[in-house]
Amino acid sequence: DILLLTTDGLSEARRGQRGELYGNERIVSLVRRLRDLPAAEIVDALFADTRKFAGSGTPRDDQTVVIVKVEG
């Protein structure tokens, strides 16, 4: 099981002039695909994917991610 906590800065990261949002669906999809990786690697992948989506520049809002994996 995985507990995922994020601030809205991650889901509300925007792409280009259209302002398309990264969205919760992308977050959940990525975490599901990477669920077998260590929590730290999933967090790193989320930040990397968000940066790739939004392009260069400083995020407009804080971005915080906490992942807790329960095993056994």
Side-chain angles (χ1 to χ4, degrees):
D1 293 332
I2 296 177
L3 172 65
L4 170 67
L5 306 169
T6 69
T7 57
D8 63 352
L10 199 70
S11 61
E12 293 177 359
R14 295 182 182 273
R15 179 190 309 198
Q17 298 297 331
R18 296 177 301 166
E20 178 186 1
L21 296 177
Y22 187 74
N24 291 322
E25 296 80 17
R26 281 189 178 90
I27 294 170
V28 171
S29 176
L30 185 63
V31 171
R32 282 184 177 154
R33 281 187 282 134
L34 303 178
R35 68 181 170 262
D36 293 327
L37 294 178
E41 290 183 32
I42 298 172
V43 170
D44 290 344
L46 276 168
F47 285 131
D49 198 54
T50 304
R51 280 191 304 272
K52 180 180 174 185
F53 175 85
S56 63
T58 304
R60 298 178 191 185
D61 197 357
D62 68 294
Q63 296 182 342
T64 303
V65 177
V66 175
I67 291 184
V68 178
K69 292 186 80 173
V70 178
E71 300 182 19

